[in-house]
């Protein structure tokens, strides 16, 4: 079994290499078999000495998932929930992300997927595209916005 001092040292080292959240650290200590009071003391120390900060982690995580992984808001919310980030921390950070940041990711994803979908009607194709985009965590409102623009573009190309 790992000691409290060893856990503190290992986790401080881990936090110095990249952003972490208290939920991930607590889970790691749970797997090491540390008791609740020991885990809480270690987390209190790491938090008070700014090794770990859930708000700082959340900002970095949201930025990375939107910018690099091209995730939608719902998928990010779910991932933060799994990491035990409180909603009072995550919601304002997610609310700060403008719709346009999601749309910049969603448009090319849908445009690339559109021709690969096998469907008997435009309605069926749209439903499959919606299901695909929702799986990526995008809001239905933004998905409809993109699909409606795609439909309008397709109609203009057909007429031209």
């Amino acid at each position: 079994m790992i000691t409290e001092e060893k856990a503190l040292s290992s986790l401080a080292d881990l936090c110095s290499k990249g952003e972490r959240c208290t939920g991930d650290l607590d889970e790691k200590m749970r797997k090491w078999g540390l008791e609740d009071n020991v885990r809480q003391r270690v987390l209190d120390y790491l938090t008070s000495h700014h090794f770990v900060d859930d708000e700082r982690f959340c900002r970095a995580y949201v930025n990375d998932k939107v910018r690099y992984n091209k995730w939608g808001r719902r998928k990010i919310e779910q991932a933060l929930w799994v990491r035990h980030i409180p909603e009072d921390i995550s919601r304002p950070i997610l609310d700060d992300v403008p719709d346009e940041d999601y749309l910049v990711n969603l448009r090319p994803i849908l445009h690339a997927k559109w021709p690969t979908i096998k469907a008997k009607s435009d309605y069926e194709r749209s439903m499959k595209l919606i299901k695909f985009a929702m799986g990526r965590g995008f809001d239905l409102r933004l998905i409809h916005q993109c699909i409606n623009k795609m439909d309008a573009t397709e109609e203009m190309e057909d007429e031209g």
Side-chain angles (χ1 to χ4, degrees):
M1 183 155 141
I2 191 168
T3 66
E4 182 174 344
E5 293 76 24
K6 177 67 177 157
L8 181 58
S9 174
S10 295
L11 294 177
D13 184 51
L14 187 66
C15 289
S16 68
K17 294 176 182 171
E19 287 296 339
R20 305 281 184 237
C21 66
T22 55
D24 288 347
L25 300 179
D26 190 45
E27 184 60 31
K28 191 173 279 294
M29 288 188 288
R30 183 175 279 115
K31 287 179 182 175
W32 289 341
L34 294 174
E35 300 204 8
D36 290 351
N37 61 339
V38 173
R39 293 195 328 261
Q40 191 57 54
R41 278 196 305 269
V42 170
L43 288 175
D44 289 346
Y45 179 88
L46 292 171
T47 303
S48 66
H49 288 83
H50 307 289
F51 282 96
V52 65
D53 180 332
D54 283 346
E55 184 174 344
R56 188 177 66 210
F57 168 83
C58 188
R59 285 191 189 286
Y61 190 85
V62 168
N63 180 59
D64 286 355
K65 296 306 174 192
V66 170
R67 182 165 285 151
Y68 303 113
N69 295 79
K70 313 290 189 216
W71 285 7
R73 180 182 173 125
R74 301 292 170 235
K75 188 169 183 176
I76 297 169
E77 281 175 335
Q78 186 176 23
L80 291 170
W81 179 81
V82 167
R83 287 186 154 75
H84 305 287
I85 301 295
E87 195 173 316
D88 63 318
I89 292 175
S90 65
R91 175 161 289 162
I93 293 169
L94 285 162
D95 288 347
D96 284 347
V97 178
D99 284 350
E100 187 56 35
D101 287 4
Y102 294 116
L103 289 169
V104 162
N105 294 334
L106 183 57
R107 285 184 195 113
I109 290 170
L110 293 181
H111 279 286
K113 188 69 175 172
W114 182 264
T116 68
I117 295 177
K118 306 226 184 309
K120 294 178 180 141
S121 67
D122 285 342
Y123 175 78
E124 185 182 349
R125 179 178 284 180
S126 291
M127 290 301 105
K128 287 182 176 184
L129 206 54
I130 289 169
K131 185 177 178 182
F132 169 77
M134 288 185 82
R136 293 282 184 99
F138 291 97
D139 291 341
L140 189 57
R141 177 181 54 83
L142 297 178
I143 297 166
H144 277 299
Q145 190 176 332
C146 285
I147 289 175
N148 290 341
K149 281 188 179 177
M150 287 172 64
D151 287 344
T153 304
E154 294 290 322
E155 286 173 17
M156 287 173 50
E157 288 174 1
D158 290 345
E159 292 171 5

